[in-house]
Amino acid sequence: MRRILTVALTAASAAVMLLAGAAPAAAAHHLTDGASVNLIAQHSRKCADVITGSTANGAEIGQYDCNAGLNQLWRIRDLGNGYVQLAARHSDKCLDVDGASSANGAKVIQWTCGNGTNQQWKIENAGTGVTRLVARHSGKCLEVPSASTANGARLQQRDCGTGANQQWSLNTVSNPAIPGLFADPNIVRFGDTYYLYATTDGFAGWSGTQFRAFSSKDLVTWTDHGVILDVAADISWADNSAWAPGIAEKNGKYYFYFSAGKASGDTRKHLGVAVADSPTGPFRDALGKPLVPAGAYGGQMIDPAVLTDTDGRSYLYWGQGSSHQVPLNADMTSFNAAQVRTYQPANYNEGSFVVKRGATYYFMWSENDTRSEDYRVAYATGSSPTGPWSARAGVILQKDLSQGIKGTGHHSVVQAPGTDQWYIAYHRFAIPNGDGTHRETMIDRMYFNADGTIRPVVPTIVGVDPI
């Protein structure tokens, strides 16, 4: 089921400011920037739609019954000056008043995003939960002409008034779960709150240095807690390649496992562990050296994940090329090397993750290269946290080209307490023009069949309902 939520509910403080009539965008909360929204006309409850899903400059904008189409989804680009651009997700082109006309009735189109004020829109309060969209160059409002309720009615600009055909709900969808470029998400629940940690993406060679933390009560509304660890500033043995974190709690301390390396010299990756008194940090290096140095085991020392079993014992998983698995000692910062097991299922690449359901352990991993649109998730099962594991049981998450979804992988899974509801966080190529270093973090439902097998996940554009 598709769930639509207003910006006021999902984009936190900046969105509240937008709908309250304060400065419209201006980055009081960066989650507004990059959020994806439907523009819903109040009089007709239809969505602003790039007609026929065209990607051409000059394609007209009309209203149409709301659906899951990317040509009805608009990414907010906060210009920091009280105005935003609205870029269609299918084409990455901006909502534009044709020819920068200041005339009433001038048509509204999509055009390659630029610096023109005819692509800049002020979001003004028009009443509870609704807004007007005012073109900067003309001071006129986006409207459905003659208050038409017909599909295909073309949008235009006109002197601002009080009509519901000039009033719009800016309704967010929850995929990507956190706006911006993030990959390799680790989702976990501490207490009554969900937390999400990820690789900060968008850097050539995955060379980012910072980790951020996000929290949510419902898996839809996320709060950004800022940088919790910067390997360039906080880690003596690394200055680059902050990748793929995992986290666990023990006795009121939070242990943050991560991959990192050097930008020059010996650029091999190591596995580190940092500690904090809060799941939102700040974190400090727990050892002053890698927990698992490069070369200690086969493959790369990357992609840590932690399972804390029902008996309270925690297990660490990591590795590219092979998966290494070991019980952690009670201090959470060491392990007995003699207990390390190495496992390499068919098609294994990276991104190990393990959950327990009933008496069964599910070992999951990512296949193919993260730069490939065929990046995907498969799994096996076992009766203990370190196996032995069954043969590969099948693929549970992969691309869906009908929705423009590519490169789905490096996931994590969380269970809603007291239920058999499971959620999978993963990344995909950013839509429409992403690649293996420009990825977005998603959340969708994951279901088990009656026989305990995992049902293939349906990746979505719209995400999950709040829980």
Side-chain angles (χ1 to χ4, degrees):
M1 183 181 83
R2 187 176 186 193
R3 177 77 173 187
I4 296 178
L5 298 174
T6 68
V7 168
L9 292 177
T10 58
S13 59
V16 172
M17 291 173 64
L18 292 178
L19 297 179
H29 194 298
H30 100 282
L31 287 183
T32 299
D33 184 59
S36 293
V37 299
N38 296 124
L39 307 178
I40 301 180
Q42 290 305 287
H43 75 294
S44 65
R45 303 306 300 169
K46 297 182 186 293
C47 281
D49 176 296
V50 181
I51 299 299
T52 70
S54 173
T55 59
N57 279 333
E60 292 183 286
I61 314 301
Q63 67 173 3
Y64 205 85
D65 293 332
C66 296
N67 55 55
L70 290 175
N71 62 316
Q72 292 187 354
L73 199 58
W74 302 85
R75 191 200 301 270
I76 294 176
R77 293 177 174 167
D78 186 347
L79 301 176
N81 59 0
Y83 292 88
V84 300
Q85 288 180 320
L86 294 159
R89 292 299 304 268
H90 76 296
S91 65
D92 212 30
K93 297 183 187 296
C94 277
L95 193 71
D96 177 296
V97 178
D98 189 26
S101 173
S102 59
N104 281 328
K107 66 182 180 181
V108 175
I109 60 172
Q110 69 173 4
W111 198 269
T112 302
C113 298
N115 298 320
T117 54
N118 60 317
Q119 292 185 351
Q120 298 180 20
W121 301 86
K122 180 183 289 185
I123 304 172
E124 286 190 345
N125 179 43
T128 304
V130 295
T131 67
R132 283 187 294 267
L133 295 172
V134 183
R136 183 178 182 182
H137 76 292
S138 65
K140 297 182 187 297
C141 281
L142 181 70
E143 73 160 26
V144 180
S146 304
S148 172
T149 59
N151 280 331
R154 275 22 177 199
L155 305 191
Q156 63 180 27
Q157 69 173 7
R158 187 165 293 277
D159 293 332
C160 296
T162 59
N165 62 319
Q166 291 188 351
Q167 296 175 4
W168 302 85
S169 295
L170 274 65
N171 294 344
T172 66
V173 297
S174 57
N175 268 348
I178 48 175
L181 298 177
F182 295 94
D184 312 324
N186 181 253
I187 191 169
V188 65
R189 185 179 172 101
F190 297 129
D192 64 353
T193 304
Y194 296 92
Y195 294 87
L196 194 151
Y197 309 85
T199 300
T200 303
D201 213 11
F203 299 93
W206 309 286
S207 57
T209 68
Q210 296 180 337
F211 294 107
R212 307 180 80 93
F214 301 85
S215 69
S216 176
K217 298 291 188 181
D218 63 3
L219 295 181
V220 172
T221 305
W222 290 91
T223 298
D224 180 6
H225 296 277
V227 176
I228 59 169
L229 182 71
D230 187 330
V231 300
D234 304 327
I235 304 298
S236 61
W237 47 267
D239 60 15
N240 192 265
S241 305
W243 297 349
I247 193 168
E249 183 272 338
K250 182 86 169 187
N251 297 326
K253 298 285 187 182
Y254 296 86
Y255 296 87
F256 188 77
Y257 303 87
F258 61 95
S259 316
K262 289 282 190 180
S264 60
D266 184 353
T267 60
R268 295 181 300 167
K269 311 310 175 201
H270 312 277
L271 213 67
V273 57
V275 64
D277 297 322
S278 163
T280 58
F283 285 84
R284 62 186 184 279
D285 191 353
L287 299 174
K289 62 180 181 180
L291 170 62
V292 186
Y297 301 92
Q300 285 203 88
M301 303 303 103
I302 64 172
D303 295 2
V306 182
L307 166 71
T308 299
D309 207 350
T310 48
D311 64 1
R313 187 90 190 255
S314 294
Y315 296 79
L316 180 66
Y317 307 84
W318 76 94
Q320 183 187 49
S322 297
S323 173
H324 309 295
Q325 311 173 1
V326 69
L328 284 163
N329 292 332
D331 63 9
M332 300 293 283
T333 61
S334 65
F335 56 82
N336 181 348
Q339 295 181 321
V340 174
R341 292 186 179 182
T342 297
Y343 174 55
Q344 189 174 21
N347 301 324
Y348 179 88
N349 182 28
E350 60 193 10
S352 303
F353 197 82
V354 178
V355 298
K356 183 181 184 181
R357 180 177 182 264
T360 302
Y361 297 84
Y362 294 80
F363 174 77
M364 296 171 272
W365 66 89
S366 291
E367 300 182 339
N368 302 318
D369 193 284
T370 192
R371 292 165 291 192
S372 167
E373 70 175 52
D374 295 316
Y375 200 52
R376 62 190 185 184
V377 176
Y379 81 106
T381 60
S383 57
S384 89
T386 55
W389 303 106
S390 70
R392 177 178 178 272
V395 173
I396 59 170
L397 176 65
Q398 60 186 324
K399 67 184 180 183
D400 181 353
L401 296 182
S402 71
Q403 299 187 79
I405 295 174
K406 302 177 181 179
T408 53
H410 201 123
H411 76 301
S412 58
V413 174
V414 70
Q415 181 183 14
T419 76
D420 197 32
Q421 292 180 211
W422 298 80
Y423 296 85
I424 183 169
Y426 60 96
H427 70 240
R428 68 170 185 218
F429 289 2
I431 294 175
N433 298 316
D435 54 26
T437 55
H438 296 80
R439 299 164 292 178
E440 299 173 321
T441 284
M442 326 306 296
I443 299 175
D444 279 307
R445 286 293 301 272
M446 188 179 86
Y447 297 91
F448 290 86
N449 295 312
D451 63 0
T453 56
I454 301 176
R455 191 184 310 172
V457 173
V458 177
T460 73
I461 298 299
V462 298
V464 297
D465 291 346
I467 60 173

